[in-house]
Amino acid sequence: MTPVTRKVRVRVPATSANLGSGFDTVGLALDYHDELEFTLSADPVNTAAQVMIEGEGADTLPRDETHLVVSTFRRACQTFGLGRVGFILQAHNNIPQARGMGSSAEAIVAGIAAAAAFAQDDELNRDAVFELAAAIEGHPDNVAPAVYGGLTMSWDMETPEGVGSVPIPGGEPLHKGFHTINYRVADDLTAAVFVPDYELSTEKARQALPGQLAFKDAVHNVSRVSLLPAAMNPAMLATGQRQDVNALLFAATQDRLHQPYRAPLMEPSWTLIEKLRSHGFASMVSGAGPCVLVLHHGDAREQLGQLASEELASGHWRVLHLGVDTKGVQVERA
Ligand SMILES: Nc1ncnc2c1ncn2[C@@H]1O[C@H](COP(=O)(O)OP(=O)(O)OP(=O)(O)O)[C@@H](O)[C@H]1O
Ligand SMILES: N[C@@H](CCO)C(=O)O
């Protein structure tokens, strides 16, 4: 197959997974992006990848075939029938790596979306990008908002047989694999992300998780995650229901499945989370950490700045005040 263009630009949002109670399920796209440009080599004999990196990871990321965007782009090019191509990748990275802001999902989605844009002339097939990205990442909670934007809830559909698809009377068969749905988020929702200067890989944070959980802890999280769609968008509440939306956010982000087990791996982050929660803020580990996410309806910059003044003054933390990205990955053919 011949590529439909020689240059593609991709813009992918940072994402925060879990939102406390929704482990491996819930994700939120943030208005904070990496931008990448792929230029195909005009020489068919040259199939090498040349990688240039600016910003986050410029001193640490590899510049060879092991670079996650490169390896994913190669795989997606095979999947979409492009074969092995030579290309220059220019990456402008804002999203810090291994901090819980979905950098690996961003890299995977960028590689797949770029390959799709070289392979097809029409609008990006987001479902195809999501399916392949979730399979590569292994869990769908970051890749779903990176692809679709907004607040997503994802699940891995298992049929009783473990293969094939489930016929639904009068509807489409429900196929095995990852699925996602998108919820609206209220316009006044703000996200503060406290970014520490230390890293924690998702792999290490997953190793800290227990093999089994108490039934009451599973019930706890089911009850809390069920509050999240209304806590993120109170317009979902039935008419006449009145709730303090920030109190609802506080309850919805309580968690007993993963954070207590991971806290020892990120003590400074856990200390900040406890401090902010003791003042009523819905603060939590962002993704697998160690970033701290605070969700709030309304502007809480001043209060959060005061509460975290010690951390911010230490020079080991910075804070990003972000809105929600509602578009997901964007591609542009040049
Ligand atoms: N922009 C990027 N370019 C190349 N490789 C990347 C990029 N971003 C992440 N990676 C790869 O992914 C690794 C980080 O993935 P990891 O899952 O540990 O963290 P994360 O995705 O930032 O956090 P979380 O999944 O908790 O949000 C990096 O060490 C690097 O190997
Ligand atoms: N749900 C994932 C998100 C990080 O990739 C985790 O917490 O391990």
Side-chain angles (χ1 to χ4, degrees):
M1 182 193 282
T2 311
V4 299
T5 183
R6 300 232 72 85
K7 196 187 283 282
V8 166
R9 292 192 191 93
V10 186
R11 190 167 187 262
V12 192
T15 52
S16 183
N18 302 329
L19 303 195
S21 54
F23 179 75
D24 269 6
T25 301
V26 182
L28 183 68
L30 300 169
D31 199 5
Y32 200 67
H33 301 84
D34 278 359
E35 293 182 340
L36 303 96
E37 189 174 280
F38 296 73
T39 310
L40 296 189
S41 163
D43 175 3
V45 179
N46 174 14
T47 60
Q50 189 185 334
V51 179
M52 289 176 254
I53 306 169
E54 271 178 25
E56 294 287 343
D59 299 331
T60 51
L61 289 172
R63 283 174 166 73
D64 58 16
E65 295 287 330
T66 64
H67 185 284
L68 189 54
V69 178
V70 174
S71 58
T72 309
F73 179 70
R74 291 266 189 235
R75 183 168 165 178
C77 282
Q78 292 296 342
T79 304
F80 298 136
L82 287 168
R84 190 178 168 89
V85 294
F87 64 100
I88 298 171
L89 168 66
Q90 287 172 284
H92 307 274
N93 295 344
N94 289 310
I95 306 169
Q97 289 102 36
R99 308 286 170 82
M101 291 184 74
S103 71
S104 57
E106 172 276 318
I108 290 167
V109 168
I112 299 171
F118 280 119
Q120 301 144 3
D121 214 358
D122 39 15
E123 219 172 278
L124 184 67
N125 181 341
R126 289 176 194 272
D127 295 348
V129 176
F130 168 67
E131 215 167 291
L132 183 54
I136 293 174
E137 173 100 322
H139 45 90
D141 46 343
N142 286 107
V143 298
V147 171
Y148 298 101
L151 173 68
T152 53
M153 304 254 178
S154 308
W155 73 102
D156 189 0
M157 182 67 201
E158 288 166 24
T159 68
E161 299 79 20
V163 289
S165 60
V166 181
I168 304 293
E172 295 285 317
L174 201 46
H175 68 81
K176 183 178 185 292
F178 293 113
H179 295 254
T180 195
I181 55 168
N182 218 240
Y183 279 99
R184 275 183 209 282
V185 174
D187 291 342
D188 70 345
L189 188 100
T190 56
V193 183
F194 288 87
V195 186
D197 62 3
Y198 68 98
E199 296 183 353
L200 175 62
S201 74
T202 300
E203 196 184 349
K204 193 167 173 202
R206 288 181 90 82
Q207 282 164 7
L209 300 174
Q212 290 194 319
L213 284 164
F215 195 78
K216 64 179 176 22
D217 290 343
V219 172
H220 172 97
N221 271 54
V222 170
S223 71
R224 300 314 193 271
V225 78
S226 67
L227 302 175
L228 259 177
M232 299 290 278
N233 179 18
M236 282 195 65
L237 290 166
T239 318
Q241 275 267 314
R242 292 178 67 83
Q243 287 284 343
D244 176 334
V245 287
N246 281 315
L248 204 54
L249 261 184
F250 187 92
T253 54
Q254 286 178 314
D255 161 58
R256 289 191 195 158
L257 292 197
H258 65 108
Q259 295 181 145
Y261 304 99
R262 291 170 159 178
L265 297 176
M266 44 181 134
E267 278 175 17
S269 304
W270 195 246
T271 301
L272 179 57
I273 288 169
E274 288 192 311
K275 180 161 48 177
L276 297 174
R277 287 195 80 89
S278 74
H279 286 84
F281 281 101
S283 67
M284 65 215 85
V285 176
S286 181
C291 277
V292 172
L293 172 70
V294 187
L295 295 174
H296 192 76
H297 290 280
D299 187 354
R301 284 177 197 224
E302 204 176 314
Q303 269 174 292
L304 291 174
Q306 280 166 6
L307 290 170
S309 58
E310 209 177 300
E311 282 80 3
L312 295 172
S314 72
H316 295 298
W317 291 82
R318 62 193 163 111
V319 62
L320 303 169
H321 293 284
L322 305 172
V324 173
D325 171 294
T326 54
K327 293 185 183 152
V329 59
Q330 300 293 307
V331 294
E332 184 192 310
R333 294 177 191 89

